[in-house]
Amino acid sequence: MKARGGRRPGAGRPGLPFERRFVIGGQCEELWRRAIEENTRKQLNERTRVVRDQWKKASQKRNRSQWIKTRDYEEYLEDVRGAMQEDQRIDATKDDRDPDRLYVIRPRRPKNLRRQIIREVAAQHGVTKRMVLQCWKEYRRLERDV
């Protein structure tokens, strides 16, 4: 096997400075995390579609301490329960179980976004896609170790 790039100090292909590699990797990770946050937000909006309308009604009440003592508040709680059952696809006529009050949101991994991020960051910084991928891996490794 032939050696490539020479053996003396400074020989071979020059790499990017650490700071620049860190910035490139960090930018990739930031774009990735934003996409995951957006997926989580979309999923939460899907799961709480009907309940959000009920929450809006409560937020519009002026004197909440007085409202909580009224019959309207009890009806509101029943409406919220019904909305939660609808959001969770629980048939209230057949199934009388309480809806879950805590939602478990498992964000989906963004599909085909990795290539797009790498392409975009490479064009922005004027480096190869391979270099961007390497910077991203180094950034994640450093973040995990710290």
Side-chain angles (χ1 to χ4, degrees):
M1 186 190 299
K2 273 179 130 178
R4 296 179 184 201
R7 294 175 188 241
R8 69 189 192 295
R13 210 180 291 177
L16 292 176
F18 172 77
E19 294 82 15
R20 187 149 181 229
R21 290 194 325 261
F22 188 77
V23 167
I24 291 172
Q27 185 177 359
C28 292
E29 191 66 21
E30 177 67 25
L31 292 171
W32 180 260
R33 288 180 182 169
R34 279 189 203 160
I36 289 176
E37 284 177 20
E38 182 63 30
N39 281 352
T40 304
R41 196 172 308 116
K42 283 180 185 176
Q43 196 172 5
L44 183 63
N45 285 340
E46 285 174 15
R47 299 269 316 264
T48 60
R49 186 177 41 82
V50 180
V51 173
R52 273 182 288 137
D53 294 335
Q54 296 298 327
W55 289 338
K56 285 178 189 174
K57 289 179 187 176
S59 65
Q60 293 171 353
K61 298 295 180 182
R62 296 263 178 202
N63 195 350
R64 291 175 64 106
S65 59
Q66 294 292 325
W67 177 60
I68 289 175
K69 298 173 186 175
T70 66
R71 175 76 180 135
D72 289 344
Y73 178 71
E74 292 176 22
E75 290 175 8
Y76 165 76
L77 289 179
E78 283 301 313
D79 291 344
V80 168
R81 185 175 191 271
M84 290 173 72
Q85 285 176 326
E86 186 176 336
D87 276 341
Q88 296 175 26
R89 295 178 183 92
I90 298 172
D91 188 4
T93 58
K94 297 178 184 175
D95 193 355
D96 196 30
R97 66 187 161 121
D98 283 331
D100 295 330
R101 295 201 177 266
L102 294 176
Y103 290 96
V104 177
I105 303 294
R106 291 185 181 89
R108 296 179 191 103
R109 190 173 69 94
K111 303 282 184 184
N112 300 325
L113 186 65
R114 188 176 166 101
R115 287 184 191 152
Q116 181 183 341
I117 289 173
I118 291 171
R119 193 176 328 115
E120 183 180 310
V121 173
Q124 184 178 352
H125 289 277
V127 295
T128 64
K129 292 185 268 186
R130 185 175 176 196
M131 177 59 78
V132 171
L133 179 60
Q134 186 63 35
C135 292
W136 196 357
K137 287 179 182 178
E138 287 177 15
Y139 181 86
R140 283 187 164 176
R141 198 173 317 129
L142 183 70
E143 193 177 56
R144 184 185 64 229
D145 291 344
V146 172

